[in-house]
Amino acid sequence: MKGRPGSELQSVERAIEILRSFSYERPERGVSELSRELGLHKSTVSRLMRTLEQGGLLSRDPESERYRLGIDLIGLAAQVVDYIDVRQVARPFLRALSDLCQETVNLSVVDAGRVINLEQFVPQTRRIRNVGQVGRRMCMHCTAAGKMFLAYLPPEARGAQLHFPLERFTARTLTEPGELDADLDRVCARGYAVAQEELEDGLNVIAAPVRDHTGHVVAAVSVAGPAYRITPGMFPELGHQLVDVAAKISEQLGYRV
Amino acid sequence: MKGRPGSELQSVERAIEILRSFSYERPERGVSELSRELGLHKSTVSRLMRTLEQGGLLSRDPESERYRLGIDLIGLAAQVVDYIDVRQVARPFLRALSDLCQETVNLSVVDAGRVINLEQFVPQTRRIRNVGQVGRRMCMHCTAAGKMFLAYLPPEARGAQLHFPLERFTARTLTEPGELDADLDRVCARGYAVAQEELEDGLNVIAAPVRDHTGHVVAAVSVAGPAYRITPGMFPELGHQLVDVAAKISEQLGYRV
DNA sequence: AACAGTGTTGCGTCTTACGAAACAATTATA
DNA sequence: TATAATTGTTTCGTAAGACGCAACACTGTT
């Protein structure tokens, strides 16, 4: 193993780091901009980005000459088979729910101790909406989906998770293990989880569990929106809608109560 | 420039080659399998795949220990902004058309002289269906979408394209420039293109043009299915349905006749 | 015209990637 | 059950390839 533990091929890692530097907020990046951000020489970044462009993972705007993520990524993503069953089964349900409640609906799974959004349906009529969340990895203790996964863990596993330091994101983030534990008990009692401005100020999210044929919680369906629209008074109704949708998805995945 | 013209960083190119080796037919690959296929030493492939796994672009099945494409690709693909307007506008139309005609519906664009499918809607009720086409790049002369793009090129550009060797894929592939040119004229006259077992035996496809606000053809909408279901007698009706759907998409992109 | 910033290219250096060989584990075959 | 074949990983030495520096060309701003 080289000087950097857990590392393999440095230039491939750098290429991946470049790909990850693009976001919904920053769809176009320049060589010098990334050179500064990644702490690499601009000739190094230039060669890496050109190689990614030649390979189709980046494209270059002919006018601005800056780089964007390439359409070949769409093709690669379409070949991803992990969670394919739940993603395919869930899509029409998520779309219908988004249309019904006129808020952003997500499908999340756990990966490497974080929750990550795999599908997102955003109502087109709203101007204020929670977009660009697909692929986003978030801590579990301060997201509705994450808390839902934690809630249904066996007691030992839940205990182990609560022993990690709980990072504060907002004034409302639960950072005391005892408080979080009690909240997770309430999740089990209600059947759905709530994150009220715990990840971001002004953002409320509710989530319900999707189970596979073995009963294992494999995904979470959630509704997200601004706090002035998704008020606490609406939590029970939205929660029940989510539980209902999640149950239908679970049923199609072979789950029987 | 190194010994291989047009090349930049060899290990990044190799990593991309590994990503491209996965397909709908081969969602799982092993180290030795790819070593043979790519002509690289298995220790090289092993390191490349581990680096891609650590970076989230591959995942490893804990049981088979073989590699798959990783879910982080979903997140990257979601950040791709190229053709984002036409993709977003087209989606509900494509889904509705797929439901209506009960066949696979695609959205294609031209990239580097080939057509590539960016969106695909597959009817769930059919057992025989044309799946796994997103990301697939195909020659233009033998695909409905490709012929549609060629048909609406300015005369000089069309002429230039016809001077390239036209590869034969089936007994029905048009490989004589004069024959293809005449067929393209018919595309313009009808308003839609047809590929009747020209790319693959048993596969029939019909395509219509999507235009942006400037009138430029930016994408193609197509219906694909087995030849015993999409028979020549159905071409006119399906063609008109496609022209109609493509016109609606074009209108939302700002195109005015 | 001068300056600042961006991105590319040539070059020399040396770090990193590579392949060979050996090894451990698993699977297939007899 | 024993043996053979295959897979994937690790160590090691080598050199090919990646890297950073400096110079350059181009664009935009003052």
Side-chain angles (χ1 to χ4, degrees):
Chain A
M1 198 63 73
K2 295 303 189 297
R4 291 169 294 111
S7 64
E8 288 286 349
L9 303 180
Q10 174 179 256
S11 48
V12 175
E13 287 175 349
R14 286 175 167 179
I16 294 172
E17 207 175 352
I18 286 176
L19 291 177
R20 291 178 173 290
S21 71
F22 292 85
S23 66
Y24 184 83
E25 294 79 20
R26 293 182 171 215
E28 276 200 351
R29 312 299 311 259
V31 169
S32 299
E33 180 188 13
L34 280 189
S35 167
R36 287 189 294 273
E37 179 170 315
L38 303 182
L40 300 174
H41 199 279
K42 58 185 180 176
S43 60
T44 300
V45 174
S46 180
R47 291 195 185 92
L48 283 163
M49 295 188 95
R50 268 211 302 286
T51 304
L52 288 167
E53 183 195 4
Q54 283 162 1
L57 303 196
L58 290 185
S59 65
R60 195 167 197 186
D61 186 274
E63 293 189 356
S64 70
E65 294 195 318
R66 300 197 323 140
Y67 289 91
R68 300 170 172 165
L69 291 172
I71 59 175
D72 282 26
L73 287 165
I74 297 174
L76 289 176
Q79 313 299 344
V80 171
V81 295
D82 286 349
Y83 304 102
I84 189 72
D85 289 341
V86 62
R87 282 156 51 207
Q88 281 182 334
V89 165
R91 275 193 198 110
F93 291 98
L94 303 181
R95 188 186 313 125
L97 182 59
S98 178
D99 287 344
L100 177 69
C101 66
Q102 283 296 295
E103 295 293 356
T104 296
V105 172
N106 291 301
L107 182 78
S108 317
V109 301
V110 172
D111 186 79
R114 303 283 205 100
V115 284
I116 176 174
N117 290 332
L118 294 187
E119 302 278 341
Q120 174 169 86
F121 288 85
V122 180
Q124 297 305 312
T125 51
R126 298 285 203 187
R127 285 192 175 279
I128 300 295
R129 35 188 169 138
N130 187 21
V131 295
Q133 301 299 310
V134 173
R136 187 181 177 193
R137 289 179 187 279
M138 299 158 288
C139 293
M140 300 185 73
H141 68 288
C142 52
T143 55
K147 289 201 284 184
M148 199 216 63
F149 277 107
L150 290 174
Y152 291 108
L153 282 176
E156 301 88 7
R158 191 205 276 191
Q161 288 286 343
L162 296 191
H163 276 87
F164 286 102
L166 304 176
E167 184 183 349
R168 179 173 297 279
F169 290 85
T170 73
R172 289 188 57 89
T173 307
L174 301 179
T175 52
E176 292 298 320
E179 288 182 340
L180 182 57
D181 198 30
D183 193 45
L184 298 183
D185 288 340
R186 289 192 287 275
V187 170
C188 286
R190 287 193 302 254
Y192 61 88
V194 173
Q196 186 179 353
E197 296 193 77
E198 295 168 48
L199 176 69
E200 291 175 31
D201 287 328
L203 176 69
N204 285 349
V205 192
I206 306 167
V210 174
R211 297 173 187 276
D212 67 6
H213 65 286
T214 68
H216 183 62
V217 178
V218 292
V221 178
S222 60
V223 170
Y228 64 83
R229 280 209 306 261
I230 303 191
T231 55
M234 299 177 62
F235 290 175
E237 180 182 346
L238 276 178
H240 290 131
Q241 281 181 321
L242 275 164
V243 167
D244 189 53
V245 168
K248 285 168 178 166
I249 297 169
S250 303
E251 189 176 356
Q252 287 206 18
L253 293 175
Y255 175 65
R256 294 292 179 269
V257 181
Chain B
M1 197 63 73
K2 295 302 192 296
R4 291 169 293 113
S7 65
E8 288 286 347
L9 304 180
Q10 175 180 257
S11 47
V12 175
E13 286 174 351
R14 285 178 166 176
I16 295 171
E17 207 174 352
I18 286 177
L19 290 178
R20 290 180 174 291
S21 71
F22 292 84
S23 66
Y24 185 81
E25 295 79 19
R26 293 180 173 219
E28 278 201 348
R29 312 300 310 263
V31 168
S32 300
E33 179 188 12
L34 280 189
S35 168
R36 286 190 294 274
E37 179 170 316
L38 303 183
L40 299 174
H41 199 279
K42 59 186 180 177
S43 61
T44 300
V45 175
S46 180
R47 289 195 191 91
L48 283 163
M49 295 187 96
R50 267 210 302 285
T51 305
L52 288 167
E53 183 195 2
Q54 282 162 1
L57 303 196
L58 290 184
S59 65
R60 195 167 197 186
D61 186 277
E63 293 188 357
S64 70
E65 296 195 319
R66 302 204 313 145
Y67 289 90
R68 300 169 172 165
L69 291 172
I71 57 175
D72 282 25
L73 287 165
I74 297 173
L76 290 176
Q79 313 298 344
V80 170
V81 295
D82 287 350
Y83 303 102
I84 189 71
D85 289 342
V86 64
R87 283 156 52 204
Q88 281 182 333
V89 166
R91 273 191 200 111
F93 291 99
L94 303 180
R95 186 185 315 126
L97 181 60
S98 179
D99 287 343
L100 177 70
C101 66
Q102 283 296 294
E103 295 294 355
T104 297
V105 172
N106 292 299
L107 181 78
S108 316
V109 301
V110 172
D111 186 78
R114 305 285 205 97
V115 286
I116 176 172
N117 290 332
L118 294 187
E119 302 278 342
Q120 175 167 86
F121 288 85
V122 180
Q124 298 305 311
T125 52
R126 299 285 202 187
R127 285 190 175 281
I128 301 295
R129 36 188 167 140
N130 187 21
V131 296
Q133 301 299 309
V134 174
R136 186 180 179 194
R137 290 178 185 281
M138 299 158 290
C139 293
M140 301 184 72
H141 68 289
C142 52
T143 54
K147 290 200 284 183
M148 199 216 64
F149 278 106
L150 290 173
Y152 291 109
L153 282 177
E156 301 88 8
R158 191 206 275 191
Q161 288 285 341
L162 294 190
H163 276 88
F164 286 103
L166 304 175
E167 183 184 347
R168 178 175 297 280
F169 289 85
T170 74
R172 291 187 55 89
T173 307
L174 301 178
T175 53
E176 292 299 320
E179 288 182 340
L180 181 57
D181 198 32
D183 194 44
L184 299 183
D185 287 341
R186 289 192 287 274
V187 171
C188 287
R190 285 192 303 253
Y192 61 88
V194 173
Q196 185 180 354
E197 296 195 76
E198 294 168 50
L199 176 69
E200 291 175 32
D201 287 328
L203 177 69
N204 283 348
V205 192
I206 308 167
V210 174
R211 298 173 186 276
D212 66 7
H213 66 288
T214 70
H216 183 62
V217 179
V218 292
V221 177
S222 60
V223 169
Y228 64 82
R229 280 206 311 257
I230 303 190
T231 57
M234 300 179 59
F235 289 175
E237 181 181 347
L238 276 177
H240 290 131
Q241 281 181 320
L242 274 165
V243 166
D244 190 53
V245 167
K248 285 169 178 167
I249 298 171
S250 304
E251 189 175 358
Q252 285 207 18
L253 292 173
Y255 176 64
R256 295 290 179 270
V257 181

